Structure formats: structure tokens, C-alpha cells
Amino acid sequence: MNRTMTSLVAIGLGVAAYQMARRNGGMNMRNVRKMGRQLMRSFT
């Protein structure tokens, strides 16, 4: 898997998690932000 593919996948996951959090009323926005930071760390 090359770098552009992994970054696209990471962006897709982030968008999906963000939309899910919004649907749930934003209750787990903190968890989503935490997950996003971990994803960014692992992909960079």
C-alpha cells in the first residue's frame, strides 16, 4: 500500500467517524479527536 492510498483511507475513516459522532449528538467528539490524533501519528 503506498502513501497516497493510506492517507486517503485515513481521511475516509476520519470523515466516517466524524459523521457517526455528529449523528450520535456529538457525545463522543472527544473520543473521535483522540482517535484522529492517533491515526495521524501512525500515518505520518
Side-chain angles (χ1 to χ4, degrees):
M1 228 171 170
N2 58 0
R3 194 168 280 243
T4 49
M5 262 308 276
T6 43
S7 57
L8 281 174
V9 168
I11 291 167
L13 281 173
V15 169
Y18 178 72
Q19 285 178 347
M20 274 179 62
R22 284 190 63 192
R23 227 175 270 138
N24 293 342
M27 288 280 291
N28 12 348
M29 272 311 282
R30 255 178 267 150
N31 295 341
V32 169
R33 236 174 256 144
K34 228 179 278 173
M35 268 178 50
R37 247 181 247 138
Q38 286 176 351
L39 279 173
M40 292 307 287
R41 215 178 284 142
S42 62
F43 279 118
T44 46

